Amino acid sequence: MILLMEKGRAENYSGMLCPDSQVEIPDGVTQIGSRAFFRMRDHNITDIPRFRSIQIPDSVREIAAEAFYRCEALESVRLPSGLTRIESGTFRLCRSLREIILPDSIREIGTQAFAGCTHLESILLPEGLERIGESAFADCQNLRQIKLPSTLVQMGPGAFANCAALQELVIPDGIDVISDNLLEGCVSLQSISLPQTIRHIGMTAFANCQSLCALHLPSGVQQIGLGAFSKCYSLSQLNLPAGLERIEERTFLGCLVLTAIELPASIHTISDMAFKSCDALTHVVLPDRLNKLGRWAFDGCRNLRHIQLPEHLSQLGEGVFIRCEQLAHLDVHPDNPVFSSRDGVLFDKPFERLLIFPEGHPAARYTVPECIREIAAHAFKGCRQLTRLDLPSDLQRIGPWALTGCIHLRQLVIPHLVKHLPQGIFSGCSQLETLVL
């Protein structure tokens, strides 16, 4: 081994060691420099250290960022007492690291400090630790257990992202923010306990936690970021706190076994794709205060059977109920000034536009009311039971994809005032025999 020393600083390891070798840093060294054990020349790696263990004396008070970056054979380390911070990337991509002993003096773990330590199964975090940086333990695919100390006050974005073996986690009381993608991709996570101090849950915080079945959200949560629970395939029970005002984009996208969810009265916005592909969802009561339903908000909720649009709803996004195969009726609060319903079909209040004919509507033949001047985009999309559709003589416009997937539609007369047939209007109408233009 060659370890260049300068004024008590270990700077540059050189030499390929045999696989069972050990590095011993001399007593008296106070600093270990950045990438002290890694060499690169002209953007090519020239020397990947092969030592399995390293002895660091207690005289060391500072270990620079990425000091042990890509020490791929390193299996065990004891950090010196008195060290207060593990810098960014210190052990990043130490793929064989199995044991790391942290001193009680540690107060902060930096960005990506242990990212990619794929053989690390457990780590004891000392009481006194206050901050865990962004992606600090990201991609530690075999990390099975970790106990967070009560002194912890901050965890950075993605701190435990893609820890595929992690099964449970208890968040201490000092935490008030669940950061963006904190536990994203923790596919084995079955249990997580959140303290009452939590006020904010970040974007994709629990996305792709495929084994998470239930979660209790503290009453003080005021905001849940977009995609927070997307692709939580096993999530069947979740409460939403009373003060929540928005369901952000893709919040519950792909929650396949979520059968019902109670929306608090404070909700005024359900954003794009919020409940997309929630296959098992059968019933949702939209709160009276709701004024916006975003695009594809309930797209693919195949078992959703009934919806009543509330009094204050004024904005309805494109494709909001497409692929809702069991949805037979759309009802509207009678005092809603924008939308109306007749026989389970959704219209605008002036009764000039047909907006949505539910895919599960039982009618095999339907006659559009004579007063209708426009068929909206996606209006009859996926209505497989329709065999005949009679359009009013004064109809002027048909929107894109309006009849897509009407696989049993056999005949259709397009009124003379319709001058343009838009994109995809007959896509999937495989049995259409008679079309009169």
Side-chain angles (χ1 to χ4, degrees):
M1 175 194 69
I2 301 173
L3 193 63
L4 302 183
M5 310 290 297
E6 182 179 352
K7 295 181 180 180
R9 183 181 179 91
E11 285 287 354
N12 196 357
Y13 159 86
S14 178
M16 297 293 283
L17 299 183
C18 59
D20 60 351
S21 63
Q22 174 179 299
V23 170
E24 183 175 348
I25 296 177
D27 193 17
V29 172
T30 59
Q31 296 176 297
I32 299 176
S34 179
R35 297 203 176 189
F37 300 89
F38 179 82
R39 298 181 66 193
M40 179 175 284
R41 181 180 299 164
D42 298 329
H43 304 289
N44 294 312
I45 299 172
T46 62
D47 191 351
I48 296 178
R50 301 299 179 191
F51 57 86
R52 292 184 177 181
S53 64
I54 186 168
Q55 291 188 11
I56 304 173
D58 286 340
S59 58
V60 172
R61 289 293 180 267
E62 180 185 340
I63 300 176
E66 298 190 333
F68 299 98
Y69 171 70
R70 291 200 67 169
C71 291
E72 296 186 3
L74 182 62
E75 295 180 356
S76 64
V77 179
R78 183 190 71 82
L79 295 181
S81 60
L83 192 69
T84 59
R85 175 181 166 84
I86 300 174
E87 298 290 346
S88 300
T90 299
F91 295 96
R92 184 160 69 99
L93 296 178
C94 292
R95 303 182 195 276
S96 299
L97 186 65
R98 298 177 184 274
E99 181 184 29
I100 178 83
I101 300 174
L102 307 184
D104 292 340
S105 53
I106 292 292
R107 296 294 177 264
E108 184 172 352
I109 297 175
T111 299
Q112 293 188 323
F114 295 96
C117 293
T118 53
H119 280 79
L120 187 65
E121 293 186 2
S122 65
I123 185 171
L124 181 61
L125 301 179
E127 286 293 324
L129 179 67
E130 298 174 352
R131 291 176 173 81
I132 297 176
E134 181 176 354
S135 303
F137 293 92
D139 302 310
C140 292
Q141 297 175 1
N142 282 293
L143 185 64
R144 298 181 183 280
Q145 52 182 299
I146 189 166
K147 182 179 180 181
L148 301 179
S150 63
T151 51
L152 195 65
V153 296
Q154 183 180 357
M155 293 184 290
F160 299 100
N162 300 316
C163 291
L166 189 64
Q167 295 184 10
E168 62 178 312
L169 193 67
V170 177
I171 307 294
D173 289 341
I175 299 293
D176 61 0
V177 172
I178 300 298
S179 59
D180 295 349
N181 58 290
L182 178 71
L183 292 159
E184 182 176 2
C186 293
V187 295
S188 299
L189 188 69
Q190 298 177 19
S191 173
I192 181 165
S193 177
L194 301 178
Q196 288 300 315
T197 51
I198 298 295
R199 297 291 178 266
H200 174 86
I201 295 175
M203 297 185 298
T204 65
F206 302 101
N208 205 27
C209 290
Q210 298 180 12
S211 301
L212 187 65
C213 295
L215 183 62
H216 179 77
L217 299 184
S219 59
V221 172
Q222 300 169 356
Q223 185 175 7
I224 299 175
L226 64 86
F229 301 99
S230 62
K231 300 182 181 179
C232 289
Y233 298 138
S234 301
L235 186 65
S236 60
Q237 298 179 42
L238 182 81
N239 67 296
L240 294 177
L244 194 67
E245 296 186 344
R246 297 173 58 92
I247 307 294
E248 299 290 354
E249 293 181 22
R250 304 190 300 278
T251 298
F252 296 101
L253 182 148
C255 292
L256 300 178
V257 299
L258 188 67
T259 58
I261 190 164
E262 184 176 348
L263 301 179
S266 52
I267 294 289
H268 61 71
T269 298
I270 296 177
S271 300
D272 298 353
M273 297 181 282
F275 293 94
K276 183 177 180 178
S277 299
C278 290
D279 281 6
L281 192 65
T282 60
H283 182 67
V284 175
V285 176
L286 300 179
D288 291 339
R289 192 183 173 194
L290 185 72
N291 60 50
K292 180 181 178 180
L293 266 178
R295 297 176 301 167
W296 309 294
F298 292 94
D299 171 17
C301 294
R302 301 182 187 277
N303 287 288
L304 188 64
R305 299 180 183 278
H306 178 261
I307 283 284
Q308 176 163 317
L309 303 184
E311 177 181 355
H312 299 290
L313 185 72
S314 60
Q315 300 179 60
L316 195 66
E318 179 181 352
V320 62
F321 295 114
I322 63 173
R323 297 192 302 148
C324 293
E325 298 168 359
Q326 300 297 320
L327 185 61
H329 291 85
L330 276 171
D331 294 325
V332 181
H333 190 285
D335 295 329
N336 186 295
V338 179
F339 303 108
S340 60
S341 175
R342 179 187 292 181
D343 299 325
V345 181
L346 186 66
F347 300 88
D348 66 347
K349 197 71 171 188
F351 220 64
E352 295 180 347
R353 301 179 69 222
L354 188 154
L355 302 175
I356 300 175
F357 188 91
E359 289 187 32
H361 198 287
R365 176 176 178 176
Y366 182 71
T367 299
V368 178
E370 277 296 325
C371 55
I372 297 301
R373 298 293 177 265
E374 180 180 349
I375 305 293
H378 305 281
F380 290 90
K381 188 172 184 177
C383 293
R384 300 185 178 191
Q385 76 287 350
L386 271 181
T387 59
R388 179 170 175 176
L389 181 63
D390 297 324
L391 301 178
S393 58
D394 290 333
L395 186 70
Q396 299 174 9
R397 185 177 182 275
I398 303 176
W401 315 102
L403 299 168
T404 297
C406 293
I407 59 175
H408 292 114
L409 187 65
R410 297 183 180 278
Q411 61 182 46
L412 186 68
V413 176
I414 303 295
H416 70 284
L417 293 178
V418 176
K419 304 300 183 183
H420 171 69
L421 295 180
Q423 181 183 15
I425 185 173
F426 300 120
S427 177
C429 297
S430 55
Q431 296 190 39
L432 187 62
E433 298 173 347
T434 304
L435 177 63
V436 179
L437 301 177

